[in-house]
């Protein structure tokens, strides 16, 4: 069904949030208009701000945090799935069908977010009535989220359609072919550079703590993107931009995931302070969590000294004689709390810069960055004589111990370093090298004949 573009651009707003069905609501930032039509949405600073608030709510309501975490985690080796849902066990066995509803929802929801960002960018660009600084900030936030959505699409599916037009019907027409991975990455970099140039350094004081993207958020995501592209000079440059700021620090692991943590670069606030992660990782004493840390990962922490991440971010549960290692980064599973979805945090920037410096033959600088993460974890320094291979191995290990159960870091790390087959084939009975990409949803291929299926998923 095609909507009259004078009606609504997915922006019916109540309580500061888009009207989607969800158990989570975005933190209230003030009363927005009841309805925002395209002719009026960008006429004032307040209504334009409501549009962009809607993007944050979209990310929460489509549970992008959870889907980019749980499915990738069990497809890799940093999450263990303990239930029997067939659509999820396919990820655990790396035997994903091209009709898998979770794959289809992740694809569709990502493009829904992109569709909303495109509408916002077009409306903001065309507006002549907004305060220039506010207009720039809002454009920057929209482009940040478009880049964020495309980052996951290109890493999970490979070549994907690149939709940049403000066309309400373009997605329904489903006529775009797959753009090359490089084209998508080029657009991601372009969006993030523009976002960085437009956004403010300070956070929006009216939002949840660090709950709106700023200049550092764009720099942090750019550092990640450059690392994935093996552009190590720029990866080091942009990580350094974040690391040199006095706004960020490395609190003790027991304080790490509180919404007031100064390690947070960007988080998604909600009204309850309870995250998808807490609800899926933490259960009552006699209940098995849906997702736990595999034994191999738990046992891979150093035994010669206590790793504070192991003691603070994991917890042994014995149920019916079987041991499970609960993930306790987030401490609250229900009710109300003081934890938000942390999308970007400082430890990643240290490890990005460490890897970039290692590749640039700055081994002492790489060791210093690795040690910043290890020191926070209560561990000893990396040996001063470590060579490049040893440092890269240490970085891979630190990334596993730092980011297990978060936003697919482990899955994406194994893919980008071409280590997936070596690491996963011994523990995944059905592993094939083509499993590093998810299937393009078959329903989308039937609608759009210009799409092609990823190898290994043709039948």
């Amino acid at each position: 069904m095609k909507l009259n573009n004078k009606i609504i651009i997915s922006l019916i707003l109540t309580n500061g949030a888009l009207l989607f069905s969800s158990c989570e609501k975005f933190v209230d930032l003030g009363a927005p208009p009841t309805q925002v039509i395209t002719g009026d949405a960008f006429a004032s600073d307040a209504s334009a701000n409501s549009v962009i608030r809607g993007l944050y709510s979209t990310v929460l309501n489509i549970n992008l945090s959870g889907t980019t975490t749980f499915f990738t985690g069990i497809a890799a080796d940093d999450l263990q799935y303990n239930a029997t849902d067939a659509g999820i066990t396919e990820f655990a066995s790396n035997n994903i069908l091209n009709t898998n509803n979770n794959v289809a929802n992740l694809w569709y929801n990502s493009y829904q977010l992109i569709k909303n960002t495109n509408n916002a960018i077009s409306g903001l660009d065309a507006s002549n009535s907004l305060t220039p600084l506010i207009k720039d900030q809002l454009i920057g936030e929209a482009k940040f989220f478009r880049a964020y959505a495309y980052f996951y699409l290109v890493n999970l599916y490979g070549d994907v359609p690149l939709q940049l037009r403000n066309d309400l019907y373009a997605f329904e027409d489903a006529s775009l072919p797959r753009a090359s991975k490089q084209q998508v990455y080029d657009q991601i970099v372009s969006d993030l550079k523009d976002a960085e140039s437009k956004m403010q350094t300070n956070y929006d004081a009216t939002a949840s703590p660090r709950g709106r993207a700023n200049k550092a958020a764009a720099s942090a995501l750019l550092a990640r993107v450059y690392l994935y592209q093996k552009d190590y000079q720029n990866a080091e440059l942009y990580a350094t931009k974040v690391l040199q700021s006095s706004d960020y620090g490395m609190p003790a692991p027991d304080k790490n995931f509180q919404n007031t943590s100064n390690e947070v670069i960007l988080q998604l606030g909600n009204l309850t302070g309870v995250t998808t992660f807490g609800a899926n990782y933490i259960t009552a004493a006699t209940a098995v969590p849906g997702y736990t840390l595999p034994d191999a990962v738990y046992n891979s922490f150093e035994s010669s000294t206590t790793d504070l991440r192991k003691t603070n971010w994991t917890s042994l549960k014995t149920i019916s004689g079987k041991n499970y290692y609960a993930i306790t980064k987030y401490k609250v599973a229900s009710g109300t709390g003081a934890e938000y979805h942390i999308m970007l945090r400082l430890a990643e920037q240290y490890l990005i810069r460490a890897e970039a410096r290692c590749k640039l033959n700055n081994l002492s600088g790489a060791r210093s960055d690795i040690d910043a993460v290890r020191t926070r974890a209560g561990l000893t320094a990396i040996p001063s004589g470590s060579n490049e291979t040893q440092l890269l191995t240490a970085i891979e290990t630190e990334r596993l111990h730092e980011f297990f159960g978060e936003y697919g870091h482990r899955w994406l790390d194994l893919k980008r370093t071409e280590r997936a087959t070596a690491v996963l084939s011994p523990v995944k009975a059905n592993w094939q090298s083509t499993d590093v990409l998810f299937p393009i949803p078959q329903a989308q291929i039937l609608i759009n004949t210009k799409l092609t299926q990823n190898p290994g998923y043709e039948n």
Side-chain angles (χ1 to χ4, degrees):
M1 179 179 68
K2 295 184 177 182
L3 299 176
N4 186 323
N5 67 359
K6 293 296 288 182
I7 305 177
I8 301 173
I9 59 171
S10 299
L11 294 168
I12 301 177
L13 295 152
T14 59
N15 294 325
L18 277 177
L19 188 60
F20 284 94
S21 60
S22 171
C23 62
E24 292 189 278
K25 296 182 184 298
F26 189 60
V27 69
D28 192 359
L29 302 181
T34 302
Q35 288 192 341
V36 182
I37 62 174
T38 55
D40 301 327
F42 306 100
S44 72
D45 292 346
S47 60
N49 192 46
S50 291
V51 173
I52 301 306
R53 291 208 318 267
L55 299 180
Y56 291 82
S57 186
T58 298
V59 176
L60 276 175
N61 282 286
I62 65 177
N63 194 19
L64 195 58
S65 299
T67 54
T68 57
T69 293
F70 303 135
F71 304 141
T72 57
I74 59 176
D77 61 349
D78 66 314
L79 284 183
Q80 173 179 301
Y81 179 59
N82 299 312
T84 58
D85 186 300
I88 300 178
T89 57
E90 288 177 12
F91 291 89
S93 64
N94 294 98
N95 190 27
I96 308 171
L97 301 180
N98 59 27
T99 54
N100 185 290
N101 285 335
N102 296 308
V103 170
N105 287 338
L106 179 56
W107 172 283
Y108 172 80
N109 287 336
S110 297
Y111 275 109
Q112 182 62 49
L113 175 60
I114 290 167
K115 180 178 180 178
N116 288 354
T117 62
N118 287 346
N119 289 335
I121 292 165
S122 178
L124 289 164
D125 280 338
S127 177
N128 296 315
S129 56
L130 302 178
T131 303
L133 283 177
I134 292 176
K135 177 177 179 177
D136 279 352
Q137 173 67 28
L138 299 181
I139 290 174
E141 290 179 73
K143 289 194 172 184
F144 172 87
F145 276 110
R146 184 165 70 181
Y148 187 85
Y150 271 123
F151 172 81
Y152 277 98
L153 282 169
V154 76
N155 277 285
L156 298 180
Y157 298 98
D159 299 348
V160 293
L162 187 60
Q163 173 57 273
L164 304 175
R165 292 180 296 162
N166 173 37
D167 184 342
L168 288 174
Y169 314 131
F171 288 92
E172 286 82 353
D173 289 346
S175 59
L176 287 175
R178 299 174 70 173
S180 72
K181 182 178 178 179
Q182 190 58 56
Q183 286 177 298
V184 178
Y185 263 125
D186 287 346
Q187 184 60 48
I188 291 170
V189 169
S190 176
D191 275 348
L192 289 175
K193 282 188 171 181
D194 197 34
E196 185 196 44
S197 72
K198 285 182 165 59
M199 290 195 292
Q200 300 297 302
T201 299
N202 296 331
Y203 289 95
D204 184 342
T206 67
S208 57
R210 302 184 178 188
R212 296 281 292 262
N214 67 346
K215 196 177 292 292
S219 298
L221 191 52
L222 266 171
R224 181 195 297 179
V225 167
Y226 280 126
L227 182 72
Y228 277 51
Q229 291 189 291
K230 297 180 170 56
D231 183 344
Y232 300 116
Q233 288 185 329
N234 273 318
E236 179 184 25
L237 172 66
Y238 281 91
T240 299
K241 285 186 178 186
V242 182
L243 291 167
Q244 68 186 5
S245 171
S246 60
D247 291 335
Y248 308 103
M250 296 281 278
D254 63 329
K255 309 293 185 185
N256 212 70
F257 291 90
Q258 296 178 0
N259 61 15
T260 55
S261 166
N262 70 341
E263 188 181 346
V264 172
I265 299 171
L266 180 64
Q267 60 189 347
L268 293 173
N270 60 18
L271 292 178
T272 64
V274 179
T275 68
T276 300
F277 301 121
N280 281 276
Y281 291 153
I282 303 171
T283 57
T286 58
V288 178
Y291 303 88
T292 53
L293 194 67
D295 291 3
V297 178
Y298 182 84
N299 292 328
S300 70
F301 285 94
E302 293 180 22
S303 58
S304 59
T305 185
T306 300
D307 190 323
L308 296 176
R309 295 170 297 194
K310 183 178 181 180
T311 57
N312 284 281
W313 297 353
T314 70
S315 176
L316 172 64
K317 296 185 70 173
T318 302
I319 301 173
S320 300
K322 180 176 174 58
N323 289 339
Y324 298 91
Y325 297 104
I327 297 172
T328 57
K329 290 179 170 180
Y330 293 88
K331 312 298 184 187
V332 185
S334 61
T336 58
E339 299 171 341
Y340 295 149
H341 295 78
I342 299 177
M343 300 175 67
L344 295 168
R345 59 188 183 91
L346 196 65
E348 183 189 3
Q349 299 305 303
Y350 275 114
L351 293 174
I352 286 172
R353 193 170 70 175
E355 188 171 338
R357 285 177 164 179
C358 195
K359 291 291 188 177
L360 295 170
N361 201 34
N362 178 3
L363 301 188
S364 63
R367 286 197 309 272
S368 176
D369 285 337
I370 299 170
D371 287 342
V373 176
R374 288 176 59 85
T375 298
R376 189 266 294 274
L379 300 178
T380 57
I382 292 289
S384 59
S386 300
N387 60 32
E388 179 181 337
T389 300
Q390 292 169 324
L391 289 175
L392 290 174
T393 299
I395 291 166
E396 180 179 307
T397 300
E398 289 304 314
R399 289 184 69 92
L400 171 60
H401 292 164
E402 188 70 27
F403 302 120
F404 62 83
E406 286 185 65
Y407 292 95
H409 280 286
R410 175 64 169 174
W411 176 251
L412 300 183
D413 283 344
L414 293 176
K415 282 168 41 65
R416 69 179 177 81
T417 59
E418 300 179 355
R419 293 258 299 140
T421 294
V423 172
L424 299 179
S425 59
V427 297
K428 302 280 187 177
N430 299 312
W431 178 262
Q432 302 177 73
S433 60
T434 52
D435 290 341
V436 294
L437 293 177
F438 291 168
I440 304 297
Q442 188 63 25
Q444 294 297 309
I445 291 177
L446 293 175
I447 295 171
N448 182 359
T449 58
K450 292 185 179 180
L451 286 178
T452 56
Q453 187 55 267
N454 281 329
Y457 299 104
E458 292 86 353
N459 298 320

